[in-house]
Amino acid sequence: MIFEFDNTYSRLPDAFFTRQGPEPVSQPEVLAWNAGLAQDLGLGAIDMAQAAQIFSGNQTPDGAAPLAQAYAGHQFGHFNPQLGDGRAILMGEIVDATGQRHDITLKGSGRTPYSRGGDGRAWLGPVLREFIVSEAMYHLGIPTTRALAAVATGDAVYRETAQPGAILTRVASSHLRVGTFEYFAARRDHENLKTLFDYAVSRHYPLASDPASFLDAVIERQIKLVTQWMGIGFIHGVMNTDNCHIAGITIDYGPCAFMDQYNPRQVYSSIDQYGRYAYEAQRNIIMWNMAQLATSLVPLMPDQDEAIAAFTAKIHAMPDDFNTQWLRVFAAKLGIANPTEQDRALIAQFLNLMEASQADFTNTFYDLGAGDAAAHFKDQSAFQSWQDTWRARIVDDTTARALMAQSNPWIIPRNHQIEAMINTALNGDMTQLERLAIALTNPYTKQNAFADLASPPTPEQEIKATFCGT
Ligand code: AMP
Ligand code: MG
């Protein structure tokens, strides 16, 4: 295996991180391996015994510069000035053949100075969940971190009960979070705040010339991301500012889930008691998170009062921009490429009918595109009348079907299938994981061999809450 590291983050000032390697584990064994991603990263020939050593953290490849990153964050609205990588180690960065830079990070790799009360470890359940869901997200075409490997450690992790430990190798375009900006802003360390800003610009927004245009660009990407999440029924579950990536990619898969029945108030996370991060609330939370980023950027501006006024206006513009982008996403799901404001009512009526019928979000949209969604609705005459209006709105059937086919996935990683996969993996059987991974590689294509994985849960299979599982 070849790693050609080029570690820019480790060349930043000491205040950005603590140099720290992963803690060794007893008996590493590769549970899941992403061969396609390994190839894209140019890792060369890999033998699984060596991969187990490297991706458990037992062996540090030449050129790595392991470190734990410092960051802060608002967790459920409360500011914590000191979070940081409490159970992850950035091993280094690789530039692939296309010139794209990737962080290679081990998650669940032991304690760091930022662990606070935690053990620095992860158990197999959340590691395999992130492996499957982040790769599914990638294949759905939504910006995300990726998963290269899941390695069992051979050591127990103590949660409510003892569980087998595991480590995820996460690959990401960086690990810069809104919380990284908050970290330096809260310390009034404006010199390092400026260094971070310059670094973020060079890594993600080379066209942003100042904090104002940078903020615009981050807001645009976050709106795009969250509307894309909503378009596939995804609920992140912990959109704290430390889990909000500066490049607008999905990061930190914890108690996340795709909804089955359409319910705008859907929450899965067992720790989200008040529905702060419910499906529909995600539109508001992203504005709240961007307001925190804006606040952190103010000190970089020459005139603070002017900056506050200008940045406040940017945040206040978000609802309209969000609604415009949301309209594009949901209109596309109905085969409408250039939506007008009138289409909003058509979409709302469809969603209302779905909600009243407890219709499956994914399958109803897919079946509408495939030609027959009637079976999902309780009130047939209401649906038929909606469908007449919709058909009259569609200008060209072929174009509409093509747009729907690329906007409405046939399969998403369903919560009950992930739980079932974790349970079989706990018994040492990785075949369900492999099957899920393969099915989710082509999410927009109907694959009869995987029909069981695309079906909604029966009432007995339904998972009501997803535990944070840290
Ligand atoms: P999360 O909500 O999973 O993104 O984690 C929030 C913060 O808690 C981050 O700073 C994590 O590094 C830290 N953390 C989560 N789980 C653990 C753990 N088992 N040990 C140490 N730190 C943890
Ligand atoms: Mg996090």
Side-chain angles (χ1 to χ4, degrees):
M1 192 171 342
I2 331 149
F3 286 95
E4 286 189 41
F5 285 116
D6 172 34
N7 305 321
T8 60
Y9 205 88
S10 85
R11 298 197 280 272
L12 290 170
D14 287 346
F16 281 72
F17 54 79
T18 303
R19 290 195 197 280
Q20 152 100 43
E23 277 176 348
V25 306
S26 313
Q27 234 178 12
E29 188 198 333
V30 176
L31 298 173
W33 177 251
N34 188 340
L37 179 57
Q39 190 171 8
D40 292 347
L41 292 171
L43 296 184
I46 289 156
D47 109 55
M48 281 302 119
Q50 190 196 11
Q53 290 301 321
I54 291 176
F55 298 110
S56 63
N58 278 7
Q59 219 177 73
T60 301
D62 287 345
L67 58 85
Q69 295 182 331
Y71 53 83
H74 276 88
Q75 299 180 301
F76 291 88
H78 301 286
F79 186 60
N80 189 330
Q82 173 85 57
L83 290 168
D85 290 332
R87 54 165 168 167
I89 298 289
L90 170 61
M91 298 301 287
E93 299 156 37
I94 294 180
V95 180
D96 70 20
T98 70
Q100 170 68 48
R101 180 175 295 275
H102 305 274
D103 279 6
I104 308 294
T105 297
L106 302 184
K107 183 172 173 184
S109 50
R111 288 182 52 82
T112 77
Y114 311 109
S115 296
R116 298 170 290 147
D119 60 2
R121 293 295 183 189
W123 72 275
L124 180 131
V127 165
L128 297 185
R129 171 180 286 275
E130 176 158 352
F131 189 96
I132 285 295
V133 182
S134 65
E135 282 302 302
M137 201 66 115
Y138 171 77
H139 292 292
L140 283 160
I142 297 180
T144 179
T145 61
R146 298 196 61 187
L148 177 63
V151 177
T153 60
D155 301 315
V157 172
Y158 298 89
R159 296 296 181 257
E160 279 96 38
T161 54
Q163 299 286 356
I167 295 176
L168 181 84
T169 302
R170 179 158 76 185
V171 177
S173 60
S174 85
H175 282 79
L176 299 177
R177 304 149 190 273
V178 169
T180 320
F181 283 81
E182 290 180 286
Y183 181 81
F184 292 113
R187 280 171 173 66
R188 298 184 205 288
D189 181 350
H190 297 160
E191 196 179 318
N192 280 319
L193 183 62
K194 175 70 168 77
T195 304
L196 171 64
F197 171 75
D198 291 340
Y199 183 79
V201 166
S202 78
R203 204 155 168 183
H204 294 299
Y205 300 97
L207 301 178
S209 51
D210 62 351
S213 53
F214 175 78
L215 180 60
D216 284 337
V218 179
I219 287 175
E220 190 182 329
R221 284 208 207 163
Q222 286 292 350
I223 287 179
K224 190 132 194 262
L225 178 68
V226 177
T227 51
Q228 280 184 296
W229 285 353
M230 293 181 78
I232 51 162
F234 180 72
I235 303 164
H236 181 286
V238 261
M239 274 174 80
N240 294 328
T241 54
D242 52 302
N243 295 336
C244 192
H245 198 285
I246 215 71
I249 68 174
T250 317
I251 192 171
D252 279 3
Y253 292 83
C256 61
F258 287 74
M259 62 180 166
D260 297 302
Q261 294 172 358
Y262 173 65
N263 170 11
R265 289 163 303 282
Q266 184 70 56
V267 178
Y268 288 101
S269 167
S270 59
I271 54 172
D272 191 2
Q273 281 176 15
Y274 303 106
R276 180 178 170 89
Y277 301 137
Y279 172 78
E280 188 64 42
Q282 298 184 114
R283 66 162 69 229
N284 299 325
I285 281 300
I286 196 54
M287 297 173 204
W288 197 91
N289 287 355
M290 290 299 96
Q292 307 316 312
L293 175 63
T295 305
S296 302
L297 293 172
V298 167
L300 297 177
M301 298 294 280
D303 183 323
Q304 309 285 287
D305 292 337
E306 228 172 73
I308 290 168
F311 289 2
T312 304
K314 290 183 193 302
I315 301 301
H316 286 170
M318 280 186 76
D320 278 352
D321 293 345
F322 192 100
N323 283 336
T324 304
Q325 193 56 36
W326 184 93
L327 178 62
R328 268 190 214 128
V329 168
F330 276 81
K333 291 178 77 64
L334 295 183
I336 301 165
N338 295 302
T340 65
E341 278 305 310
Q342 276 93 54
D343 293 320
R344 227 177 257 290
L346 191 70
I347 299 167
Q349 283 157 11
F350 188 65
L351 291 174
N352 288 342
L353 285 172
M354 278 174 69
E355 189 181 357
S357 297
Q358 295 171 305
D360 184 82
F361 184 81
T362 306
N363 292 2
T364 306
F365 273 108
Y366 180 84
D367 289 342
L368 188 73
D372 190 8
H376 294 285
F377 295 93
K378 286 184 183 146
D379 184 342
Q380 284 296 308
S381 78
F383 172 68
Q384 294 304 338
S385 124
W386 177 86
Q387 187 166 249
D388 292 344
T389 318
W390 171 62
R391 290 215 169 117
R393 169 67 179 90
I394 300 297
V395 193
D396 165 9
D397 217 45
T398 319
T399 319
R401 297 243 179 271
L403 184 57
M404 292 176 84
Q406 67 190 49
S407 309
N408 299 322
W410 176 74
I411 186 170
I412 40 109
R414 292 191 185 262
N415 222 7
H416 69 291
Q417 293 294 354
I418 294 172
E419 294 289 324
M421 173 276 286
I422 291 169
N423 285 326
T424 55
L426 281 170
N427 294 322
D429 176 1
M430 303 311 290
T431 51
Q432 285 211 40
L433 178 124
E434 284 154 23
R435 199 165 168 257
L436 256 183
I438 294 170
L440 290 162
T441 308
N442 284 307
Y444 294 97
T445 306
K446 183 171 184 180
Q447 308 163 75
N448 290 327
F450 298 123
D452 57 318
L453 301 177
S455 300
T458 60
E460 304 79 60
Q461 288 175 316
E462 206 175 321
I463 309 285
K464 303 282 184 207
T466 303
F467 292 91
C468 204
T470 57

